[in-house]
Amino acid sequence: MKTTAVYFSPTGNSRKSVEAMAKALDEGFQRVDLTAREGSGEDASFPQIQFSGEDFVIFGMPVYGGRLPVLAAERLAEIRGNQTPCVLVVTYGNRHYDDALAELQDICTAQGFVVKGAAALVGRHTYGEIQMDRPDAADLEADVEFIRKAVSGDGLHAPIPGNRPYQKQPMSRGQFTPLTSDACTGCGLCRKSCPAGAIGPDFQADADRCISCFRCIRICPTGAKNMDTEEYRAFARMFTQKLAARRENEYFL
């Protein structure tokens, strides 16, 4: 059985979890990273990939406002199966995953995949200081136990939570747009890595395209990318307090 991890993961939560699962099944697993490629945005090219019934695919997607990111759902449209067994994973920042896991189930089922298990996993939130160390070692150990059960089981029996129709509109743009300080050296890493192609030749982020994933802030080597505004700081403090109580991962088999 050839295992492939397919993920959209701007800040690494989804990637870390699904790769841990994939490695537990197959040391030589393949990766399909739908996050960003050079020339992302309008010029991005994500060729269609076709899996067979001999493959096993682990899908990993983040939750943005209770839904899958619009870009992630669009890029998933290029991934096709042929009665291909799969496991679905969504990662969220300790609030709730709402309809995102059900949405991922609907997309994958419509595109020829057979769901054998699903998981809603907690990771570090993009905003504030929420579950900063997650997924932790215990999370990843539980993920591995789950994937082994999913592979050896005879199919999905537990219902996947979510509303149909979905209760929220998908987010096509973010709430906060990162700033760029004078520390910017023009290295271009942020522009090359932006999932939405939202960073222009001047290395400023376009608010109409930015999805507020903060990937650029996390990877900027000089700390030039920032969210240093009082509006954001106040929101982050409030959000950190609101989501302080730890949530546990949920697994469905």
Side-chain angles (χ1 to χ4, degrees), residues 211-230:
I211 60 173
S212 299
C213 69
F214 287 10
R215 187 179 203 183
C216 58
I217 294 176
R218 301 273 183 90
I219 67 173
C220 180
T222 65
K225 281 286 185 287
N226 68 90
M227 204 60 252
D228 190 18
T229 69
E230 184 51 43

Side-chain angles (χ1 to χ4, degrees), residues 185-204:
T185 62
C187 73
L189 181 61
C190 61
R191 192 172 185 223
K192 180 180 179 180
S193 302
C194 178
I199 299 176
D202 58 356
F203 307 110
Q204 303 296 321

